[in-house]
Amino acid sequence: MSETYFQEKRREIKKRVRDERLDAIRKSDKEGWKRRTSVEKRINLIELARQVRAVKEDSLKRLDELVKIARESLERNGIQTYYARTAKEAADIFLEVIGDAKFVAKSAADVPNEIGLPRILEKKGIELLNTDFGYLLWNFVPEEYGSTKGIPMVHISLETMAKAISKKTGTHVKPEREDILRNVKKVAERFLGKAEVGLTGANAIAANEGSIVLIHEQGNINRVISLPQHVVMAGIDKVVPTLLDSVAIAELTSVYQLGRPPSNMNIVSAPTEDWNMELKPTRGIFGSREIHVIMVDNGRTKAIEKGFAECLYCTRCFACHNVCPAQERVRNLFGYNNSYISGRGIILSAFVAGLKEAVESGLFLCTLCGACKEECPIDIDVPTMIRRLRVEAVSKGLVPKADTQMDNNVRDTGNPFGEPERERTRWMNEKS
Ligand code: SF4
Ligand code: SF4
């Protein structure tokens, strides 16, 4: 493993720890918790969480059977389905499905990033636009890092943003939220006007009904799924038995993320259709003409086989992000590929990308404090899984040299710096 990589990462980490722009987000992390406690009077969250955990446990135990049922139900509804064992297979299927299309609009779905789709499309000259508003903003300041998964540009001031948008669009944009929104939307609308393919993930796929459940806050998914071709690319772990199970997952996710039920929820079970003409189906009325679902394994079966099924229970509510000390200091540097963030994300990355990538994504940055497990509605035991992966990483020699050195120092001198114990006062002052 390249030591230069770790040195660069260390430099980046130091920058983020000292970036005062992140202080506002550090404070707002606590807001999610406050919002959630306010709905506890109306929604029995303990019961809902218990239900979701039971659904996920059961689904992952009989995943092969459920995937088979889901594919049959979706096909019966007029949706084409595919199973991709690897990232490459998923990308190949996607390229075959979209044919000659040149413009793809996506939601903030993560599996496309997991399989490296943006780079593949770029090489083929196919334009991809992430329609999530934070990511639309990011396009104007690509030199900046994304600070969090859900709101990546929250640390950028309106002045910086307005200046960047003005420069790129040649229009004077005022440093005001409304003006920024208007101008960013104009750019997105132009793209949506020519996009042929809408790419989304899924919060859940109901096997019995053959339905895809999607929740969102911004309404962008309404637009993406209305394009002529809607492609869903989701991990096989999203398949659950019923639509009611899927809705429970959607509700729990949203309440833990935003302190309220989903503001938008789409249940997609068939392409848009009308039977007025000759009593025959005409498709693509005001929405999709065809829907394709690519179910991606890419290491998930291996995670289950190796006893890490619990990491696939995750509904991606991000509640654990708000309490994680590593996440608080370095944001998405503690995570894989700006997609799978924080402890649970790093565990998943060990299977979808490899153990080396998990180490590079911060496997050894976790403090093992256990706050994520406490906060997680479905009680996912992140620290135990992190420990197990660390043992494997150590046995494979994947630990950064500095960490090994620190370990040796603690053993030999009683402190991580390797300084003499007798001169403690001197070096403590020097290092503070
Ligand atoms: S155990 Fe690790 S991942 Fe979990 S909250 Fe603590 S530092 Fe974050
Ligand atoms: S691991 Fe984190 S993101 Fe996943 S369900 Fe638990 S709290 Fe939510």
mmCIF file of all heavy atoms in Angstrom, residues 61-88:
data_model
loop_
_atom_site.group_PDB
_atom_site.id
_atom_site.type_symbol
_atom_site.label_atom_id
_atom_site.label_comp_id
_atom_site.label_asym_id
_atom_site.label_seq_id
_atom_site.Cartn_x
_atom_site.Cartn_y
_atom_site.Cartn_z
ATOM 1 N N LYS A 61 -31.580 -13.347 4.942
ATOM 2 C CA LYS A 61 -31.443 -14.801 5.124
ATOM 3 C C LYS A 61 -31.937 -15.547 3.896
ATOM 4 O O LYS A 61 -31.494 -16.646 3.602
ATOM 5 C CB LYS A 61 -32.254 -15.249 6.353
ATOM 6 C CG LYS A 61 -31.441 -15.175 7.636
ATOM 7 C CD LYS A 61 -32.213 -15.786 8.792
ATOM 8 C CE LYS A 61 -31.662 -15.239 10.090
ATOM 9 N NZ LYS A 61 -32.673 -14.908 11.058
ATOM 10 N N ARG A 62 -32.926 -14.991 3.210
ATOM 11 C CA ARG A 62 -33.460 -15.701 2.024
ATOM 12 C C ARG A 62 -33.412 -14.789 0.790
ATOM 13 O O ARG A 62 -34.367 -14.662 0.035
ATOM 14 C CB ARG A 62 -34.876 -16.212 2.294
ATOM 15 C CG ARG A 62 -35.841 -15.166 2.811
ATOM 16 C CD ARG A 62 -37.123 -15.805 3.291
ATOM 17 N NE ARG A 62 -38.119 -14.805 3.617
ATOM 18 C CZ ARG A 62 -39.140 -14.482 2.831
ATOM 19 N NH1 ARG A 62 -39.323 -15.083 1.694
ATOM 20 N NH2 ARG A 62 -40.015 -13.563 3.213
ATOM 21 N N LEU A 63 -32.240 -14.169 0.648
ATOM 22 C CA LEU A 63 -32.094 -13.169 -0.407
ATOM 23 C C LEU A 63 -32.244 -13.754 -1.819
ATOM 24 O O LEU A 63 -32.907 -13.160 -2.674
ATOM 25 C CB LEU A 63 -30.727 -12.467 -0.254
ATOM 26 C CG LEU A 63 -30.541 -11.202 -1.069
ATOM 27 C CD1 LEU A 63 -31.630 -10.179 -0.800
ATOM 28 C CD2 LEU A 63 -29.177 -10.563 -0.763
ATOM 29 N N ASP A 64 -31.643 -14.926 -2.036
ATOM 30 C CA ASP A 64 -31.734 -15.521 -3.388
ATOM 31 C C ASP A 64 -33.196 -15.708 -3.795
ATOM 32 O O ASP A 64 -33.604 -15.362 -4.906
ATOM 33 C CB ASP A 64 -31.041 -16.894 -3.417
ATOM 34 C CG ASP A 64 -29.531 -16.741 -3.347
ATOM 35 O OD1 ASP A 64 -29.051 -15.600 -3.481
ATOM 36 O OD2 ASP A 64 -28.842 -17.759 -3.135
ATOM 37 N N GLU A 65 -33.960 -16.261 -2.845
ATOM 38 C CA GLU A 65 -35.380 -16.534 -3.127
ATOM 39 C C GLU A 65 -36.125 -15.217 -3.396
ATOM 40 O O GLU A 65 -36.887 -15.111 -4.366
ATOM 41 C CB GLU A 65 -35.964 -17.243 -1.885
ATOM 42 C CG GLU A 65 -37.434 -17.555 -1.963
ATOM 43 C CD GLU A 65 -38.050 -17.716 -0.555
ATOM 44 O OE1 GLU A 65 -37.299 -17.876 0.428
ATOM 45 O OE2 GLU A 65 -39.298 -17.642 -0.473
ATOM 46 N N LEU A 66 -35.853 -14.195 -2.568
ATOM 47 C CA LEU A 66 -36.559 -12.920 -2.734
ATOM 48 C C LEU A 66 -36.196 -12.221 -4.036
ATOM 49 O O LEU A 66 -37.045 -11.623 -4.697
ATOM 50 C CB LEU A 66 -36.267 -11.988 -1.553
ATOM 51 C CG LEU A 66 -37.013 -12.254 -0.253
ATOM 52 C CD1 LEU A 66 -36.642 -11.212 0.787
ATOM 53 C CD2 LEU A 66 -38.528 -12.248 -0.465
ATOM 54 N N VAL A 67 -34.917 -12.311 -4.407
ATOM 55 C CA VAL A 67 -34.491 -11.676 -5.671
ATOM 56 C C VAL A 67 -35.220 -12.342 -6.835
ATOM 57 O O VAL A 67 -35.696 -11.674 -7.763
ATOM 58 C CB VAL A 67 -32.955 -11.752 -5.828
ATOM 59 C CG1 VAL A 67 -32.532 -11.398 -7.241
ATOM 60 C CG2 VAL A 67 -32.270 -10.814 -4.828
ATOM 61 N N LYS A 68 -35.355 -13.658 -6.749
ATOM 62 C CA LYS A 68 -36.050 -14.396 -7.821
ATOM 63 C C LYS A 68 -37.522 -13.938 -7.891
ATOM 64 O O LYS A 68 -38.035 -13.617 -8.974
ATOM 65 C CB LYS A 68 -35.966 -15.904 -7.516
ATOM 66 C CG LYS A 68 -36.441 -16.785 -8.613
ATOM 67 C CD LYS A 68 -36.043 -18.232 -8.316
ATOM 68 C CE LYS A 68 -36.661 -19.194 -9.293
ATOM 69 N NZ LYS A 68 -38.046 -19.515 -9.033
ATOM 70 N N ILE A 69 -38.160 -13.867 -6.728
ATOM 71 C CA ILE A 69 -39.577 -13.433 -6.704
ATOM 72 C C ILE A 69 -39.688 -12.001 -7.234
ATOM 73 O O ILE A 69 -40.580 -11.683 -8.040
ATOM 74 C CB ILE A 69 -40.157 -13.506 -5.267
ATOM 75 C CG1 ILE A 69 -40.132 -14.949 -4.767
ATOM 76 C CG2 ILE A 69 -41.573 -12.952 -5.211
ATOM 77 C CD1 ILE A 69 -40.503 -15.106 -3.292
ATOM 78 N N ALA A 70 -38.775 -11.146 -6.795
ATOM 79 C CA ALA A 70 -38.827 -9.734 -7.217
ATOM 80 C C ALA A 70 -38.695 -9.637 -8.739
ATOM 81 O O ALA A 70 -39.442 -8.889 -9.388
ATOM 82 C CB ALA A 70 -37.717 -8.945 -6.539
ATOM 83 N N ARG A 71 -37.769 -10.395 -9.292
ATOM 84 C CA ARG A 71 -37.568 -10.314 -10.745
ATOM 85 C C ARG A 71 -38.827 -10.774 -11.490
ATOM 86 O O ARG A 71 -39.252 -10.142 -12.465
ATOM 87 C CB ARG A 71 -36.350 -11.141 -11.164
ATOM 88 C CG ARG A 71 -35.044 -10.532 -10.678
ATOM 89 C CD ARG A 71 -33.850 -11.189 -11.294
ATOM 90 N NE ARG A 71 -33.783 -10.938 -12.732
ATOM 91 C CZ ARG A 71 -32.816 -11.411 -13.518
ATOM 92 N NH1 ARG A 71 -31.841 -12.140 -12.996
ATOM 93 N NH2 ARG A 71 -32.813 -11.146 -14.805
ATOM 94 N N GLU A 72 -39.435 -11.856 -10.988
ATOM 95 C CA GLU A 72 -40.659 -12.348 -11.651
ATOM 96 C C GLU A 72 -41.772 -11.301 -11.557
ATOM 97 O O GLU A 72 -42.463 -11.023 -12.538
ATOM 98 C CB GLU A 72 -41.133 -13.648 -10.976
ATOM 99 C CG GLU A 72 -40.288 -14.850 -11.361
ATOM 100 C CD GLU A 72 -40.508 -16.058 -10.443
ATOM 101 O OE1 GLU A 72 -41.381 -16.008 -9.551
ATOM 102 O OE2 GLU A 72 -39.765 -17.044 -10.614
ATOM 103 N N SER A 73 -41.942 -10.701 -10.379
ATOM 104 C CA SER A 73 -43.028 -9.714 -10.203
ATOM 105 C C SER A 73 -42.793 -8.474 -11.055
ATOM 106 O O SER A 73 -43.718 -7.961 -11.698
ATOM 107 C CB SER A 73 -43.131 -9.283 -8.736
ATOM 108 O OG SER A 73 -43.237 -10.394 -7.905
ATOM 109 N N LEU A 74 -41.541 -7.997 -11.085
ATOM 110 C CA LEU A 74 -41.229 -6.794 -11.878
ATOM 111 C C LEU A 74 -41.476 -7.066 -13.355
ATOM 112 O O LEU A 74 -42.086 -6.256 -14.064
ATOM 113 C CB LEU A 74 -39.776 -6.367 -11.644
ATOM 114 C CG LEU A 74 -39.450 -5.746 -10.274
ATOM 115 C CD1 LEU A 74 -37.964 -5.829 -9.970
ATOM 116 C CD2 LEU A 74 -39.901 -4.283 -10.215
ATOM 117 N N GLU A 75 -41.020 -8.223 -13.811
ATOM 118 C CA GLU A 75 -41.193 -8.566 -15.235
ATOM 119 C C GLU A 75 -42.682 -8.652 -15.574
ATOM 120 O O GLU A 75 -43.121 -8.207 -16.633
ATOM 121 C CB GLU A 75 -40.506 -9.912 -15.554
ATOM 122 C CG GLU A 75 -39.001 -9.923 -15.278
ATOM 123 C CD GLU A 75 -38.146 -9.649 -16.503
ATOM 124 O OE1 GLU A 75 -38.717 -9.546 -17.584
ATOM 125 O OE2 GLU A 75 -36.915 -9.522 -16.343
ATOM 126 N N ARG A 76 -43.438 -9.222 -14.646
ATOM 127 C CA ARG A 76 -44.892 -9.331 -14.866
ATOM 128 C C ARG A 76 -45.510 -7.941 -15.018
ATOM 129 O O ARG A 76 -46.464 -7.732 -15.754
ATOM 130 C CB ARG A 76 -45.526 -10.059 -13.665
ATOM 131 C CG ARG A 76 -46.751 -10.881 -14.046
ATOM 132 C CD ARG A 76 -47.312 -11.650 -12.851
ATOM 133 N NE ARG A 76 -46.370 -12.601 -12.303
ATOM 134 C CZ ARG A 76 -45.981 -12.637 -11.020
ATOM 135 N NH1 ARG A 76 -46.448 -11.788 -10.146
ATOM 136 N NH2 ARG A 76 -45.124 -13.542 -10.603
ATOM 137 N N ASN A 77 -44.946 -6.963 -14.331
ATOM 138 C CA ASN A 77 -45.460 -5.577 -14.411
ATOM 139 C C ASN A 77 -44.944 -4.823 -15.637
ATOM 140 O O ASN A 77 -45.226 -3.647 -15.796
ATOM 141 C CB ASN A 77 -45.046 -4.791 -13.163
ATOM 142 C CG ASN A 77 -45.661 -5.341 -11.898
ATOM 143 O OD1 ASN A 77 -46.569 -6.158 -11.947
ATOM 144 N ND2 ASN A 77 -45.164 -4.901 -10.758
ATOM 145 N N GLY A 78 -44.125 -5.478 -16.446
ATOM 146 C CA GLY A 78 -43.613 -4.806 -17.646
ATOM 147 C C GLY A 78 -42.266 -4.129 -17.453
ATOM 148 O O GLY A 78 -41.874 -3.249 -18.228
ATOM 149 N N ILE A 79 -41.551 -4.524 -16.399
ATOM 150 C CA ILE A 79 -40.228 -3.931 -16.124
ATOM 151 C C ILE A 79 -39.164 -4.984 -16.436
ATOM 152 O O ILE A 79 -39.292 -6.138 -16.013
ATOM 153 C CB ILE A 79 -40.138 -3.505 -14.637
ATOM 154 C CG1 ILE A 79 -41.131 -2.367 -14.361
ATOM 155 C CG2 ILE A 79 -38.716 -3.098 -14.260
ATOM 156 C CD1 ILE A 79 -41.252 -1.970 -12.907
ATOM 157 N N GLN A 80 -38.128 -4.578 -17.162
ATOM 158 C CA GLN A 80 -37.076 -5.548 -17.467
ATOM 159 C C GLN A 80 -36.059 -5.606 -16.322
ATOM 160 O O GLN A 80 -35.705 -4.567 -15.753
ATOM 161 C CB GLN A 80 -36.384 -5.172 -18.774
ATOM 162 C CG GLN A 80 -37.220 -5.631 -19.978
ATOM 163 C CD GLN A 80 -36.734 -5.000 -21.246
ATOM 164 O OE1 GLN A 80 -37.269 -3.978 -21.661
ATOM 165 N NE2 GLN A 80 -35.722 -5.600 -21.841
ATOM 166 N N THR A 81 -35.614 -6.802 -15.992
ATOM 167 C CA THR A 81 -34.683 -6.927 -14.858
ATOM 168 C C THR A 81 -33.389 -7.623 -15.276
ATOM 169 O O THR A 81 -33.363 -8.393 -16.236
ATOM 170 C CB THR A 81 -35.312 -7.720 -13.694
ATOM 171 O OG1 THR A 81 -35.420 -9.094 -14.084
ATOM 172 C CG2 THR A 81 -36.656 -7.190 -13.286
ATOM 173 N N TYR A 82 -32.348 -7.332 -14.531
ATOM 174 C CA TYR A 82 -31.012 -7.886 -14.799
ATOM 175 C C TYR A 82 -30.340 -8.152 -13.454
ATOM 176 O O TYR A 82 -30.616 -7.460 -12.469
ATOM 177 C CB TYR A 82 -30.147 -6.886 -15.577
ATOM 178 C CG TYR A 82 -30.881 -6.259 -16.749
ATOM 179 C CD1 TYR A 82 -31.764 -5.186 -16.541
ATOM 180 C CD2 TYR A 82 -30.722 -6.747 -18.044
ATOM 181 C CE1 TYR A 82 -32.461 -4.618 -17.599
ATOM 182 C CE2 TYR A 82 -31.417 -6.173 -19.111
ATOM 183 C CZ TYR A 82 -32.283 -5.117 -18.871
ATOM 184 O OH TYR A 82 -32.972 -4.565 -19.913
ATOM 185 N N TYR A 83 -29.436 -9.097 -13.455
ATOM 186 C CA TYR A 83 -28.664 -9.381 -12.237
ATOM 187 C C TYR A 83 -27.191 -9.215 -12.577
ATOM 188 O O TYR A 83 -26.676 -9.875 -13.488
ATOM 189 C CB TYR A 83 -28.942 -10.812 -11.759
ATOM 190 C CG TYR A 83 -28.368 -11.100 -10.385
ATOM 191 C CD1 TYR A 83 -29.155 -10.982 -9.245
ATOM 192 C CD2 TYR A 83 -27.040 -11.475 -10.226
ATOM 193 C CE1 TYR A 83 -28.641 -11.228 -7.977
ATOM 194 C CE2 TYR A 83 -26.514 -11.728 -8.966
ATOM 195 C CZ TYR A 83 -27.317 -11.602 -7.847
ATOM 196 O OH TYR A 83 -26.798 -11.847 -6.604
ATOM 197 N N ALA A 84 -26.516 -8.332 -11.868
ATOM 198 C CA ALA A 84 -25.084 -8.113 -12.139
ATOM 199 C C ALA A 84 -24.274 -8.647 -10.972
ATOM 200 O O ALA A 84 -24.460 -8.187 -9.842
ATOM 201 C CB ALA A 84 -24.822 -6.626 -12.341
ATOM 202 N N ARG A 85 -23.392 -9.605 -11.236
ATOM 203 C CA ARG A 85 -22.585 -10.156 -10.123
ATOM 204 C C ARG A 85 -21.457 -9.207 -9.744
ATOM 205 O O ARG A 85 -21.037 -9.142 -8.606
ATOM 206 C CB ARG A 85 -21.992 -11.515 -10.531
ATOM 207 C CG ARG A 85 -23.003 -12.666 -10.410
ATOM 208 C CD ARG A 85 -22.477 -13.897 -11.056
ATOM 209 N NE ARG A 85 -22.168 -13.595 -12.455
ATOM 210 C CZ ARG A 85 -21.287 -14.229 -13.202
ATOM 211 N NH1 ARG A 85 -20.590 -15.221 -12.697
ATOM 212 N NH2 ARG A 85 -21.073 -13.895 -14.477
ATOM 213 N N THR A 86 -20.941 -8.474 -10.722
ATOM 214 C CA THR A 86 -19.789 -7.609 -10.456
ATOM 215 C C THR A 86 -20.081 -6.180 -10.922
ATOM 216 O O THR A 86 -21.052 -5.938 -11.645
ATOM 217 C CB THR A 86 -18.560 -8.112 -11.247
ATOM 218 O OG1 THR A 86 -18.910 -8.028 -12.640
ATOM 219 C CG2 THR A 86 -18.194 -9.540 -10.879
ATOM 220 N N ALA A 87 -19.144 -5.284 -10.552
ATOM 221 C CA ALA A 87 -19.275 -3.889 -10.981
ATOM 222 C C ALA A 87 -19.229 -3.813 -12.505
ATOM 223 O O ALA A 87 -19.999 -3.076 -13.132
ATOM 224 C CB ALA A 87 -18.143 -3.068 -10.366
ATOM 225 N N LYS A 88 -18.324 -4.586 -13.089
ATOM 226 C CA LYS A 88 -18.163 -4.528 -14.547
ATOM 227 C C LYS A 88 -19.450 -4.989 -15.245
ATOM 228 O O LYS A 88 -19.910 -4.361 -16.196
ATOM 229 C CB LYS A 88 -16.970 -5.382 -14.981
ATOM 230 C CG LYS A 88 -16.723 -5.291 -16.464
ATOM 231 C CD LYS A 88 -15.484 -5.988 -16.931
ATOM 232 C CE LYS A 88 -15.279 -5.843 -18.433
ATOM 233 N NZ LYS A 88 -16.448 -5.983 -19.275
#
